[in-house]
Amino acid sequence: MENQSILHNNDMQDLILKFGGETNQITANTLINSLIHFNHIVEEINNELDNTKKIEIKIKALPPGSFLVDLVLSAKQAAESSNLLSKETLGYANELIEVISSTYNLAKFLMGKKPKTLKTEGSIIKVENNNGTIQSFDLRGANIYLGNKNIREMFSQSFETLENDANVSGFELLDKNKVPLVEIPREEFVDLANREEEPIDPTTEKTKKVEKAI
Protein backbone atom coordinates (compact mmCIF):
# COMPACT_ATOMS: atom_id res chain seq x y z
CA MET A 1 0.00 0.00 0.00
CA GLU A 2 1.09 3.55 -0.51
CA ASN A 3 -0.95 5.66 1.86
CA GLN A 4 0.28 9.18 1.20
CA SER A 5 -0.17 12.62 2.74
CA ILE A 6 0.94 15.62 0.68
CA LEU A 7 2.13 18.83 2.33
CA HIS A 8 1.89 21.78 0.00
CA ASN A 9 2.97 25.38 0.64
CA ASN A 10 2.65 28.71 -1.12
CA ASP A 11 5.93 28.09 -2.97
CA MET A 12 4.64 24.76 -4.33
CA GLN A 13 6.97 22.78 -2.09
CA ASP A 14 5.40 19.39 -1.43
CA LEU A 15 6.13 16.88 1.30
CA ILE A 16 4.55 13.43 1.24
CA LEU A 17 3.89 11.20 4.23
CA LYS A 18 3.94 7.56 3.14
CA PHE A 19 2.61 4.72 5.29
CA GLY A 20 3.93 1.50 3.80
CA GLY A 21 2.02 -1.77 3.84
CA GLU A 22 0.47 -4.52 1.74
CA THR A 23 -3.07 -3.15 1.70
CA ASN A 24 -4.66 0.14 0.67
CA GLN A 25 -6.12 0.64 4.13
CA ILE A 26 -4.98 2.16 7.39
CA THR A 27 -6.89 2.29 10.68
CA ALA A 28 -8.59 5.56 11.57
CA ASN A 29 -6.72 5.67 14.88
CA THR A 30 -3.33 5.37 13.16
CA LEU A 31 -4.13 8.03 10.57
CA ILE A 32 -5.70 10.53 12.97
CA ASN A 33 -3.04 10.18 15.66
CA SER A 34 -0.20 10.27 13.12
CA LEU A 35 -1.54 13.49 11.59
CA ILE A 36 -2.07 15.06 15.02
CA HIS A 37 1.47 14.23 16.10
CA PHE A 38 2.93 15.39 12.77
CA ASN A 39 1.01 18.66 13.06
CA HIS A 40 2.40 19.23 16.57
CA ILE A 41 5.93 18.39 15.41
CA VAL A 42 5.69 20.90 12.54
CA GLU A 43 4.32 23.60 14.86
CA GLU A 44 7.02 22.97 17.46
CA ILE A 45 9.81 23.08 14.86
CA ASN A 46 8.36 26.28 13.37
CA ASN A 47 8.24 27.94 16.81
CA GLU A 48 11.87 27.04 17.41
CA LEU A 49 13.00 28.02 13.90
CA ASP A 50 11.12 31.32 13.53
CA ASN A 51 8.24 32.18 15.86
CA THR A 52 7.32 35.20 13.70
CA LYS A 53 5.96 32.83 11.08
CA LYS A 54 2.52 31.25 11.25
CA ILE A 55 2.09 27.76 9.83
CA GLU A 56 -1.27 26.38 8.78
CA ILE A 57 -1.86 22.77 7.72
CA LYS A 58 -5.18 22.11 6.00
CA ILE A 59 -6.56 18.77 4.84
CA LYS A 60 -8.02 18.62 1.34
CA ALA A 61 -10.83 16.28 0.35
CA LEU A 62 -9.85 12.64 -0.11
CA PRO A 63 -9.95 11.57 -3.77
CA PRO A 64 -12.11 8.51 -4.52
CA GLY A 65 -10.49 5.11 -4.97
CA SER A 66 -7.21 5.88 -3.26
CA PHE A 67 -5.71 6.72 0.10
CA LEU A 68 -4.22 10.16 -0.45
CA VAL A 69 -4.53 12.68 2.36
CA ASP A 70 -3.72 16.01 0.73
CA LEU A 71 -2.49 18.62 3.23
CA VAL A 72 -1.80 22.28 2.53
CA LEU A 73 1.06 23.81 4.50
CA SER A 74 1.24 27.59 4.17
CA ALA A 75 3.72 29.98 5.77
CA LYS A 76 2.98 33.62 6.41
CA GLN A 77 4.16 36.36 8.72
CA ALA A 78 2.33 36.37 12.04
CA ALA A 79 -0.16 39.20 12.45
CA GLU A 80 1.61 40.52 15.52
CA SER A 81 4.91 40.81 13.65
CA SER A 82 6.04 44.32 12.71
CA ASN A 83 7.52 43.06 9.43
CA LEU A 84 4.46 41.69 7.63
CA LEU A 85 5.90 42.21 4.15
CA SER A 86 9.20 40.46 4.80
CA LYS A 87 10.63 38.71 1.73
CA GLU A 88 12.05 36.11 4.10
CA THR A 89 8.62 34.48 4.20
CA LEU A 90 9.08 33.41 0.59
CA GLY A 91 10.69 29.99 0.57
CA TYR A 92 10.30 29.60 4.32
CA ALA A 93 8.04 26.56 4.02
CA ASN A 94 10.72 24.82 1.97
CA GLU A 95 13.29 25.66 4.66
CA LEU A 96 10.90 24.32 7.28
CA ILE A 97 10.60 21.04 5.38
CA GLU A 98 14.40 20.72 5.34
CA VAL A 99 14.55 21.13 9.12
CA ILE A 100 11.65 18.70 9.63
CA SER A 101 13.48 16.10 7.53
CA SER A 102 16.71 16.67 9.45
CA THR A 103 14.88 16.29 12.76
CA TYR A 104 13.29 12.98 11.70
CA ASN A 105 16.61 11.65 10.41
CA LEU A 106 18.35 12.54 13.68
CA ALA A 107 15.63 10.77 15.67
CA LYS A 108 16.09 7.70 13.44
CA PHE A 109 19.88 7.87 13.87
CA LEU A 110 19.75 8.05 17.67
CA MET A 111 17.03 5.39 18.04
CA GLY A 112 15.75 6.59 21.41
CA LYS A 113 19.21 7.05 22.93
CA LYS A 114 21.14 10.18 23.79
CA PRO A 115 24.19 10.98 21.63
CA LYS A 116 27.65 9.95 22.84
CA THR A 117 29.43 13.01 21.42
CA LEU A 118 28.53 16.18 19.53
CA LYS A 119 30.81 18.44 17.52
CA THR A 120 29.56 21.62 15.85
CA GLU A 121 31.17 22.68 12.57
CA GLY A 122 29.53 25.80 11.18
CA SER A 123 25.94 25.09 10.17
CA ILE A 124 26.25 21.33 10.71
CA ILE A 125 26.78 19.14 13.74
CA LYS A 126 28.56 15.78 13.84
CA VAL A 127 26.69 13.35 16.06
CA GLU A 128 28.00 10.07 17.42
CA ASN A 129 25.24 7.62 18.33
CA ASN A 130 25.18 4.82 20.87
CA ASN A 131 26.74 2.40 18.35
CA GLY A 132 29.75 4.65 17.73
CA THR A 133 28.59 5.73 14.26
CA ILE A 134 29.17 9.40 13.36
CA GLN A 135 26.90 11.31 11.01
CA SER A 136 26.42 14.99 10.12
CA PHE A 137 23.10 16.82 10.51
CA ASP A 138 21.68 20.29 10.03
CA LEU A 139 22.51 22.19 13.22
CA ARG A 140 19.05 23.78 13.39
CA GLY A 141 17.21 20.45 13.37
CA ALA A 142 19.65 18.93 15.86
CA ASN A 143 19.30 21.82 18.31
CA ILE A 144 15.52 21.61 18.10
CA TYR A 145 15.37 17.84 18.61
CA LEU A 146 17.99 17.62 21.36
CA GLY A 147 16.88 20.72 23.22
CA ASN A 148 13.10 20.35 23.09
CA LYS A 149 11.59 17.70 25.37
CA ASN A 150 8.10 18.25 23.96
CA ILE A 151 9.13 17.40 20.42
CA ARG A 152 10.92 14.22 21.54
CA GLU A 153 7.74 13.15 23.32
CA MET A 154 5.72 13.82 20.14
CA PHE A 155 8.10 11.64 18.13
CA SER A 156 7.74 8.88 20.69
CA GLN A 157 3.94 9.03 20.64
CA SER A 158 3.86 9.15 16.84
CA PHE A 159 5.93 5.99 16.39
CA GLU A 160 4.13 4.26 19.24
CA THR A 161 0.92 4.73 17.21
CA LEU A 162 2.55 3.27 14.09
CA GLU A 163 4.04 0.37 16.07
CA ASN A 164 0.57 -0.53 17.37
CA ASP A 165 -0.82 -0.86 13.82
CA ALA A 166 0.38 -4.17 12.33
CA ASN A 167 -0.70 -3.06 8.84
CA VAL A 168 1.94 -0.31 8.64
CA SER A 169 5.25 -1.66 7.34
CA GLY A 170 7.15 1.63 7.17
CA PHE A 171 7.02 5.42 7.29
CA GLU A 172 8.53 7.84 4.78
CA LEU A 173 8.73 11.54 4.05
CA LEU A 174 9.09 12.28 0.33
CA ASP A 175 9.61 15.51 -1.59
CA LYS A 176 7.40 16.77 -4.42
CA ASN A 177 9.20 14.46 -6.86
CA LYS A 178 8.56 11.50 -4.52
CA VAL A 179 12.25 11.24 -3.66
CA PRO A 180 12.57 9.92 -0.07
CA LEU A 181 13.80 12.44 2.50
CA VAL A 182 13.26 10.09 5.44
CA GLU A 183 12.83 6.30 5.38
CA ILE A 184 11.96 4.41 8.57
CA PRO A 185 11.14 0.67 8.36
CA ARG A 186 8.73 -0.97 10.78
CA GLU A 187 11.46 -2.73 12.77
CA GLU A 188 12.73 0.67 13.91
CA PHE A 189 9.34 1.87 15.23
CA VAL A 190 9.79 0.21 18.62
CA ASP A 191 13.09 2.02 19.32
CA LEU A 192 11.73 5.36 18.16
CA ALA A 193 8.69 4.88 20.40
CA ASN A 194 10.93 4.65 23.49
CA ARG A 195 11.12 7.71 25.70
CA GLU A 196 14.54 9.24 25.29
CA GLU A 197 17.16 9.71 27.94
CA GLU A 198 18.00 13.32 28.72
CA PRO A 199 20.18 14.62 25.85
CA ILE A 200 23.45 16.44 26.30
CA ASP A 201 23.73 20.11 25.42
CA PRO A 202 24.35 20.33 21.62
CA THR A 203 26.43 23.48 22.17
CA THR A 204 28.85 21.64 24.45
CA GLU A 205 31.48 19.36 22.97
CA LYS A 206 32.01 16.20 24.99
CA THR A 207 35.64 15.33 25.72
CA LYS A 208 37.29 12.09 26.73
CA LYS A 209 39.35 11.76 29.88
CA VAL A 210 43.08 11.30 29.24
CA GLU A 211 44.84 9.12 31.79
CA LYS A 212 48.28 10.14 33.13
CA ALA A 213 48.17 13.47 31.33
CA ILE A 214 50.86 16.07 32.03
Side-chain angles (χ1 to χ4, degrees):
M1 110 181 134
E2 290 191 0
N3 301 331
Q4 300 178 345
S5 306
I6 302 175
L7 290 181
H8 183 275
N9 68 21
N10 293 335
D11 296 322
M12 304 299 290
Q13 299 295 336
D14 297 340
L15 181 63
I16 301 170
L17 308 186
K18 179 179 177 181
F19 302 90
E22 296 181 355
T23 69
N24 62 349
Q25 297 180 358
I26 189 172
T27 66
N29 180 69
T30 299
L31 175 62
I32 293 170
N33 281 311
S34 294
L35 291 176
I36 289 173
H37 294 142
F38 186 78
N39 184 76
H40 288 329
I41 287 170
V42 171
E43 289 179 344
E44 198 74 22
I45 291 175
N46 175 67
N47 289 335
E48 293 275 359
L49 192 62
D50 186 347
N51 60 13
T52 70
K53 302 292 191 302
K54 181 180 180 181
I55 296 296
E56 292 183 345
I57 301 178
K58 300 178 181 179
I59 302 178
K60 292 184 178 180
L62 296 177
S66 65
F67 201 87
L68 291 173
V69 181
D70 200 356
L71 307 180
V72 179
L73 186 151
S74 61
K76 59 183 179 181
Q77 206 71 19
E80 59 272 17
S81 173
S82 60
N83 193 13
L84 296 178
L85 301 179
S86 173
K87 292 182 179 180
E88 293 179 358
T89 302
L90 297 177
Y92 174 75
N94 186 46
E95 179 184 0
L96 180 62
I97 288 173
E98 293 177 359
V99 177
I100 292 169
S101 301
S102 178
T103 306
Y104 268 89
N105 278 317
L106 178 58
K108 169 184 168 69
F109 182 69
L110 292 176
M111 285 295 179
K113 304 293 183 180
K114 67 178 181 180
K116 291 178 69 175
T117 63
L118 299 168
K119 185 176 181 181
T120 302
E121 296 182 356
S123 62
I124 68 170
I125 185 169
K126 290 187 176 181
V127 181
E128 181 182 4
N129 67 11
N130 197 52
N131 296 324
T133 304
I134 299 176
Q135 189 170 321
S136 297
F137 296 90
D138 184 295
L139 181 60
R140 297 166 300 177
N143 281 337
I144 291 171
Y145 181 79
L146 296 174
N148 190 317
K149 186 176 181 180
N150 289 335
I151 204 167
R152 295 195 304 277
E153 178 65 22
M154 292 170 197
F155 269 92
S156 176
Q157 292 177 6
S158 176
F159 284 99
E160 184 176 20
T161 296
L162 296 178
E163 168 67 16
N164 289 334
D165 190 332
N167 292 316
V168 179
S169 64
F171 174 83
E172 295 181 38
L173 298 182
L174 301 92
D175 66 13
K176 62 182 179 182
N177 298 315
K178 297 188 178 180
V179 176
L181 302 173
V182 179
E183 297 178 277
I184 301 175
R186 179 173 183 81
E187 54 266 27
E188 295 180 353
F189 289 173
V190 63
D191 289 325
L192 287 165
N194 288 334
R195 270 50 175 177
E196 283 194 341
E197 304 171 39
E198 286 299 315
I200 61 178
D201 188 345
T203 62
T204 304
E205 181 178 344
K206 185 177 180 181
T207 58
K208 296 182 178 179
K209 181 179 180 181
V210 179
E211 300 292 343
K212 299 181 179 179
I214 299 177

